[in-house]
Amino acid sequence: MQASSLNPDYFDWTHHLYTQLRKQRREANITFSPSKEEAEACIKAFSLCPGYWRALHDMANLTEERIKTASYRTPQEYKKAEADLLEYLLQARTKAPHNITVALKCVDVLSAQNAGSQEEEESTNDKVIQILKKCEVDWPRNSQVYHKFGKFYLQVSLFDPFYPK
C-alpha cells in the first residue's frame, strides 16, 4: 500500500492524515470547525487524485462541516459552498454508484437545498426520487434507504400535501 511509505505525495497517506485529524476533532467536540491542518490535508488529497470518488467525498464532508459550523460568513460564500458540496457529491455519485453512503448523502443535500424553494423544485424532487429508487434496487430492504424515503416524503408533504402528483 502506498500509504505505508509515509510519503506525503501519495493520496493514501494524505487521505489517512485527513481522516485521523477529522476523527480527533469530532471526538473532542463535534461542533468545532475543521482545523486549517485538516482542511489542508483534505485539499492536498483531493489535488493528488481529483477524480477519485473518495477524494470527492472527503471534499464534500469538509465543505459540509464548514457549512454546519458556520465557517462561511457571507451569504455568497454560503451559497457557493452549498453549490460546491452538491457538485462534489454528484461527481462522487457518478464515480462510485456502488457506494450507499455517497448516494444517501446526495439525497440529504438535495432534499435540504430544496426545502422551501420554489425554483426547480420538481426537477430536484425527481432527482431525489430517482436516486432513492436506484438505492432501493441496489440495496433491497435496507433500513437506511427506507429511512431516507420516509424523511424525503415527510419533508415534501409538509410543503405540498398532494405530492406526488
Side-chain angles (χ1 to χ4, degrees), residues 66-122:
R66 284 178 165 174
I67 289 171
K68 286 181 178 178
T69 58
S71 295
Y72 300 107
R73 302 289 182 232
T74 65
Q76 294 83 7
E77 288 177 336
Y78 185 78
K79 289 234 183 251
K80 184 181 179 332
E82 277 190 328
D84 289 345
L85 171 61
L86 187 57
E87 183 63 30
Y88 290 136
L89 284 173
L90 291 175
Q91 286 181 24
R93 175 83 179 121
T94 59
K95 304 272 185 191
H98 62 279
N99 191 298
I100 191 169
T101 305
V102 173
L104 295 179
K105 190 171 274 213
C106 276
V107 168
D108 278 342
V109 170
L110 281 167
S111 298
Q113 288 184 0
N114 198 35
S117 83
Q118 293 298 326
E119 60 218 27
E120 300 179 12
E121 186 174 322
E122 285 202 12

Coordinates of all heavy atoms in Angstrom, one line a residue, residues 66-122:
R66 N -17.9 22.6 7.2 CA -17.7 24.0 7.3 C -19.0 24.8 7.3 O -19.2 25.8 7.9 CB -16.8 24.5 6.1 CG -15.3 24.2 6.3 CD -14.5 24.6 5.1 NE -13.1 24.7 5.4 CZ -12.2 24.9 4.5 NH1 -12.6 25.1 3.2 NH2 -10.9 24.9 4.8
I67 N -19.9 24.3 6.5 CA -21.3 24.9 6.4 C -22.0 24.7 7.8 O -22.5 25.7 8.3 CB -22.1 24.2 5.3 CG1 -21.6 24.7 4.0 CG2 -23.6 24.6 5.5 CD1 -22.3 23.9 2.8
K68 N -21.9 23.5 8.4 CA -22.6 23.3 9.6 C -22.0 24.1 10.8 O -22.7 24.4 11.7 CB -22.6 21.8 10.0 CG -23.5 20.9 9.1 CD -23.4 19.5 9.5 CE -24.4 18.7 8.7 NZ -24.3 17.2 9.0
T69 N -20.7 24.3 10.7 CA -20.1 25.1 11.8 C -20.0 26.5 11.6 O -19.2 27.2 12.2 CB -18.7 24.5 12.1 OG1 -17.9 24.5 11.0 CG2 -18.8 23.0 12.6
A70 N -20.7 27.0 10.6 CA -20.8 28.4 10.3 C -19.4 29.1 10.0 O -19.1 30.1 10.4 CB -21.5 29.2 11.4
S71 N -18.6 28.3 9.2 CA -17.3 28.9 8.8 C -17.4 29.9 7.7 O -16.5 30.7 7.5 CB -16.4 27.7 8.3 OG -16.1 26.9 9.3
Y72 N -18.5 29.9 7.0 CA -18.8 30.9 5.9 C -19.5 32.1 6.5 O -20.6 31.9 7.1 CB -19.5 30.2 4.8 CG -18.8 29.1 4.2 CD1 -19.2 27.8 4.4 CD2 -17.6 29.3 3.5 CE1 -18.5 26.7 3.9 CE2 -16.9 28.2 2.9 CZ -17.3 26.9 3.2 OH -16.6 25.9 2.7
R73 N -19.0 33.3 6.3 CA -19.6 34.5 6.9 C -20.6 35.2 6.0 O -21.6 35.7 6.6 CB -18.4 35.4 7.2 CG -17.4 34.9 8.1 CD -17.9 34.7 9.5 NE -16.9 34.2 10.4 CZ -17.0 33.1 11.2 NH1 -18.1 32.5 11.2 NH2 -16.0 32.7 11.9
T74 N -20.4 35.2 4.7 CA -21.4 36.0 3.9 C -22.3 35.0 3.2 O -22.0 33.8 3.0 CB -20.6 36.8 2.8 OG1 -20.0 35.9 1.9 CG2 -19.6 37.7 3.5
P75 N -23.5 35.5 2.8 CA -24.5 34.6 2.1 C -23.9 34.1 0.7 O -24.2 33.0 0.3 CB -25.6 35.6 1.8 CG -25.5 36.6 2.9 CD -24.1 36.8 3.1
Q76 N -23.0 34.9 0.1 CA -22.4 34.5 -1.2 C -21.5 33.3 -0.9 O -21.5 32.3 -1.7 CB -21.6 35.6 -1.8 CG -22.5 36.8 -2.3 CD -22.8 37.8 -1.2 OE1 -22.3 37.7 -0.1 NE2 -23.7 38.7 -1.5
E77 N -20.7 33.4 0.2 CA -19.8 32.2 0.5 C -20.6 31.0 0.8 O -20.2 29.9 0.4 CB -18.9 32.6 1.7 CG -17.8 33.6 1.4 CD -17.1 33.9 2.7 OE1 -17.6 33.7 3.8 OE2 -15.9 34.3 2.6
Y78 N -21.7 31.2 1.5 CA -22.5 30.1 1.9 C -23.2 29.4 0.7 O -23.2 28.2 0.5 CB -23.6 30.6 2.9 CG -24.5 29.5 3.4 CD1 -24.1 28.7 4.4 CD2 -25.8 29.3 2.9 CE1 -24.9 27.7 5.0 CE2 -26.6 28.3 3.4 CZ -26.1 27.5 4.4 OH -26.9 26.5 4.9
K79 N -23.7 30.2 -0.2 CA -24.3 29.7 -1.5 C -23.3 29.0 -2.3 O -23.6 27.9 -2.9 CB -25.0 30.8 -2.2 CG -26.2 31.4 -1.6 CD -27.4 31.3 -2.6 CE -28.6 31.9 -2.0 NZ -29.6 30.9 -1.7
K80 N -22.1 29.5 -2.4 CA -21.0 28.9 -3.2 C -20.7 27.5 -2.6 O -20.5 26.5 -3.3 CB -19.8 29.8 -3.3 CG -18.7 29.2 -4.2 CD -17.5 30.0 -4.3 CE -16.4 29.5 -5.1 NZ -16.3 28.1 -5.2
A81 N -20.6 27.5 -1.2 CA -20.2 26.3 -0.5 C -21.3 25.2 -0.7 O -21.0 24.0 -1.0 CB -20.0 26.6 1.0
E82 N -22.6 25.6 -0.7 CA -23.7 24.7 -1.0 C -23.6 24.1 -2.4 O -23.8 22.9 -2.6 CB -25.0 25.3 -0.8 CG -25.5 25.4 0.7 CD -26.9 25.8 0.8 OE1 -27.4 26.6 -0.1 OE2 -27.6 25.4 1.7
A83 N -23.3 25.0 -3.3 CA -23.2 24.5 -4.7 C -22.0 23.6 -4.9 O -22.1 22.5 -5.6 CB -23.0 25.7 -5.7
D84 N -20.8 23.9 -4.2 CA -19.7 23.1 -4.3 C -19.9 21.7 -3.7 O -19.5 20.7 -4.2 CB -18.5 23.7 -3.6 CG -17.9 24.9 -4.3 OD1 -18.2 25.1 -5.5 OD2 -17.1 25.7 -3.7
L85 N -20.6 21.7 -2.5 CA -21.0 20.5 -1.8 C -21.8 19.6 -2.8 O -21.5 18.4 -2.9 CB -21.8 20.8 -0.6 CG -22.4 19.6 0.2 CD1 -21.3 18.6 0.7 CD2 -23.2 20.1 1.3
L86 N -22.8 20.1 -3.4 CA -23.6 19.3 -4.3 C -22.8 18.8 -5.5 O -23.0 17.6 -5.9 CB -24.8 20.1 -4.7 CG -25.9 19.4 -5.5 CD1 -26.4 18.2 -4.8 CD2 -27.0 20.3 -5.9
E87 N -22.0 19.7 -6.0 CA -21.1 19.3 -7.2 C -20.2 18.1 -6.8 O -20.1 17.1 -7.5 CB -20.3 20.5 -7.7 CG -19.5 20.2 -8.9 CD -20.3 19.8 -10.1 OE1 -21.5 20.2 -10.2 OE2 -19.8 19.0 -10.9
Y88 N -19.5 18.2 -5.6 CA -18.6 17.1 -5.2 C -19.4 15.8 -5.0 O -19.0 14.8 -5.4 CB -18.0 17.5 -3.8 CG -17.0 18.6 -3.9 CD1 -16.9 19.6 -2.9 CD2 -16.0 18.6 -4.9 CE1 -16.0 20.6 -3.0 CE2 -15.0 19.6 -4.9 CZ -15.1 20.6 -4.0 OH -14.1 21.6 -4.0
L89 N -20.6 15.9 -4.4 CA -21.4 14.7 -4.2 C -21.9 14.1 -5.5 O -21.9 12.8 -5.6 CB -22.5 15.0 -3.2 CG -22.1 15.1 -1.8 CD1 -23.3 15.6 -1.0 CD2 -21.6 13.8 -1.2
L90 N -22.4 14.9 -6.4 CA -22.9 14.3 -7.7 C -21.7 13.7 -8.5 O -21.9 12.7 -9.1 CB -23.6 15.4 -8.5 CG -24.9 15.9 -7.9 CD1 -25.5 17.0 -8.7 CD2 -25.9 14.7 -7.8
Q91 N -20.5 14.3 -8.4 CA -19.4 13.7 -9.1 C -19.0 12.4 -8.5 O -18.7 11.4 -9.1 CB -18.2 14.7 -9.1 CG -18.3 15.9 -10.0 CD -17.1 16.7 -10.0 OE1 -16.0 16.3 -9.6 NE2 -17.2 18.0 -10.3
A92 N -19.0 12.4 -7.1 CA -18.6 11.2 -6.4 C -19.7 10.1 -6.7 O -19.3 8.9 -6.8 CB -18.6 11.4 -4.9
R93 N -20.9 10.5 -6.8 CA -22.0 9.5 -7.1 C -21.8 8.9 -8.5 O -22.0 7.7 -8.7 CB -23.4 10.3 -7.1 CG -24.5 9.4 -7.5 CD -25.0 8.6 -6.3 NE -26.2 7.8 -6.8 CZ -26.3 6.5 -6.8 NH1 -25.3 5.8 -6.3 NH2 -27.3 5.9 -7.2
T94 N -21.4 9.7 -9.5 CA -21.2 9.1 -10.8 C -19.9 8.2 -10.8 O -19.9 7.2 -11.5 CB -21.0 10.2 -11.9 OG1 -19.9 11.0 -11.6 CG2 -22.3 11.0 -12.0
K95 N -18.9 8.5 -10.0 CA -17.7 7.7 -9.9 C -17.9 6.5 -9.1 O -17.2 5.5 -9.3 CB -16.5 8.5 -9.3 CG -16.2 9.8 -10.0 CD -15.3 9.6 -11.2 CE -14.9 11.0 -11.8 NZ -14.2 10.9 -13.0
A96 N -18.8 6.5 -8.1 CA -19.0 5.3 -7.2 C -20.4 5.0 -7.0 O -21.0 5.3 -6.0 CB -18.3 5.6 -5.9
P97 N -21.1 4.5 -8.1 CA -22.5 4.2 -8.0 C -22.8 3.1 -7.0 O -23.9 2.9 -6.5 CB -22.9 3.8 -9.4 CG -21.7 3.4 -10.1 CD -20.6 4.2 -9.4
H98 N -21.7 2.3 -6.6 CA -21.8 1.2 -5.7 C -21.9 1.6 -4.2 O -22.1 0.8 -3.3 CB -20.7 0.3 -5.9 CG -19.3 0.9 -5.6 ND1 -18.7 1.7 -6.5 CD2 -18.6 0.9 -4.5 CE1 -17.6 2.2 -6.0 NE2 -17.5 1.7 -4.8
N99 N -21.6 2.9 -3.9 CA -21.5 3.4 -2.5 C -22.8 3.9 -2.0 O -23.2 5.0 -2.5 CB -20.3 4.4 -2.5 CG -19.9 4.7 -1.1 OD1 -20.7 5.2 -0.3 ND2 -18.7 4.4 -0.7
I100 N -23.3 3.3 -1.0 CA -24.6 3.7 -0.4 C -24.5 5.0 0.3 O -25.4 5.9 0.3 CB -25.2 2.6 0.4 CG1 -26.7 3.0 0.8 CG2 -24.4 2.4 1.7 CD1 -27.4 1.9 1.5
T101 N -23.3 5.2 1.0 CA -23.1 6.5 1.8 C -23.1 7.7 0.9 O -23.8 8.7 1.2 CB -21.7 6.4 2.5 OG1 -21.7 5.2 3.3 CG2 -21.5 7.6 3.4
V102 N -22.5 7.6 -0.3 CA -22.5 8.8 -1.2 C -23.9 9.0 -1.7 O -24.4 10.2 -1.8 CB -21.5 8.5 -2.4 CG1 -21.6 9.6 -3.4 CG2 -20.1 8.5 -1.8
A103 N -24.6 7.9 -2.1 CA -25.9 8.1 -2.6 C -26.9 8.7 -1.6 O -27.6 9.7 -2.0 CB -26.5 6.7 -3.1
L104 N -26.8 8.3 -0.4 CA -27.7 8.8 0.6 C -27.4 10.2 1.0 O -28.2 11.0 1.4 CB -27.8 7.9 1.8 CG -28.4 6.5 1.5 CD1 -28.4 5.6 2.8 CD2 -29.8 6.6 0.9
K105 N -26.1 10.5 1.0 CA -25.7 11.9 1.3 C -26.2 12.8 0.2 O -26.6 14.0 0.4 CB -24.2 12.0 1.5 CG -23.8 13.4 2.0 CD -22.3 13.4 2.4 CE -22.2 12.9 3.8 NZ -21.1 13.5 4.5
C106 N -26.2 12.4 -1.1 CA -26.7 13.2 -2.2 C -28.2 13.5 -1.9 O -28.7 14.6 -2.1 CB -26.6 12.4 -3.5 SG -25.0 12.5 -4.3
V107 N -28.9 12.5 -1.5 CA -30.3 12.6 -1.2 C -30.5 13.7 -0.1 O -31.4 14.6 -0.2 CB -31.0 11.3 -0.8 CG1 -32.4 11.5 -0.2 CG2 -31.0 10.4 -2.0
D108 N -29.7 13.6 1.0 CA -29.8 14.5 2.1 C -29.6 16.0 1.6 O -30.3 16.9 1.9 CB -28.8 14.2 3.2 CG -29.3 13.1 4.1 OD1 -30.5 12.9 4.2 OD2 -28.4 12.6 4.8
V109 N -28.5 16.2 0.9 CA -28.1 17.5 0.4 C -29.2 18.1 -0.6 O -29.6 19.2 -0.5 CB -26.7 17.5 -0.2 CG1 -26.4 18.8 -0.9 CG2 -25.7 17.2 0.9
L110 N -29.6 17.2 -1.5 CA -30.6 17.7 -2.5 C -31.9 18.0 -1.8 O -32.5 19.1 -2.1 CB -30.9 16.6 -3.5 CG -29.9 16.5 -4.7 CD1 -30.1 15.2 -5.5 CD2 -29.9 17.7 -5.6
S111 N -32.3 17.2 -0.8 CA -33.5 17.5 -0.1 C -33.4 18.8 0.7 O -34.4 19.6 0.8 CB -33.9 16.3 0.9 OG -34.1 15.1 0.1
A112 N -32.3 19.0 1.4 CA -32.1 20.1 2.2 C -32.1 21.4 1.4 O -32.7 22.4 1.8 CB -30.9 20.0 3.1
Q113 N -31.4 21.4 0.3 CA -31.3 22.5 -0.6 C -32.7 22.9 -1.2 O -32.9 24.0 -1.6 CB -30.2 22.4 -1.6 CG -28.9 22.4 -1.0 CD -27.8 22.4 -2.1 OE1 -28.0 22.3 -3.2 NE2 -26.5 22.4 -1.6
N114 N -33.5 21.9 -1.3 CA -34.8 22.0 -2.0 C -35.8 22.5 -1.0 O -36.9 23.0 -1.4 CB -35.2 20.7 -2.6 CG -36.3 20.9 -3.7 OD1 -36.3 21.9 -4.4 ND2 -37.2 20.0 -3.8
A115 N -35.6 22.4 0.3 CA -36.6 22.7 1.3 C -37.0 24.1 1.2 O -36.3 25.0 1.4 CB -36.1 22.4 2.7
G116 N -38.3 24.3 0.8 CA -38.9 25.6 0.8 C -38.7 26.4 -0.5 O -39.3 27.5 -0.6
S117 N -37.8 26.0 -1.3 CA -37.5 26.8 -2.5 C -38.5 26.4 -3.6 O -38.8 25.3 -3.8 CB -36.1 26.6 -3.0 OG -36.0 25.5 -3.8
Q118 N -38.9 27.4 -4.4 CA -39.9 27.1 -5.4 C -39.2 26.8 -6.8 O -39.8 26.0 -7.5 CB -40.8 28.4 -5.6 CG -41.7 28.6 -4.4 CD -42.7 27.5 -4.2 OE1 -43.1 26.8 -5.1 NE2 -42.9 27.2 -2.9
E119 N -38.1 27.4 -7.0 CA -37.4 27.2 -8.3 C -36.8 25.9 -8.5 O -36.2 25.4 -7.6 CB -36.4 28.3 -8.6 CG -35.3 28.3 -7.6 CD -34.8 29.7 -7.2 OE1 -35.6 30.7 -7.3 OE2 -33.7 29.8 -6.8
E120 N -37.1 25.2 -9.5 CA -36.5 23.9 -9.9 C -36.9 22.9 -8.8 O -36.2 21.8 -8.7 CB -35.0 24.0 -10.0 CG -34.6 24.9 -11.1 CD -33.1 25.0 -11.3 OE1 -32.4 24.1 -10.7 OE2 -32.6 25.8 -12.0
E121 N -37.9 23.1 -8.1 CA -38.3 22.1 -7.0 C -38.7 20.7 -7.6 O -38.2 19.7 -7.1 CB -39.5 22.7 -6.2 CG -39.8 21.8 -5.0 CD -40.9 22.5 -4.2 OE1 -40.9 23.7 -4.0 OE2 -41.7 21.7 -3.7
E122 N -39.5 20.7 -8.7 CA -39.9 19.4 -9.2 C -38.7 18.6 -9.8 O -38.7 17.4 -9.6 CB -41.0 19.6 -10.2 CG -42.3 20.0 -9.6 CD -43.5 19.7 -10.5 OE1 -43.3 19.0 -11.5 OE2 -44.6 20.1 -10.1

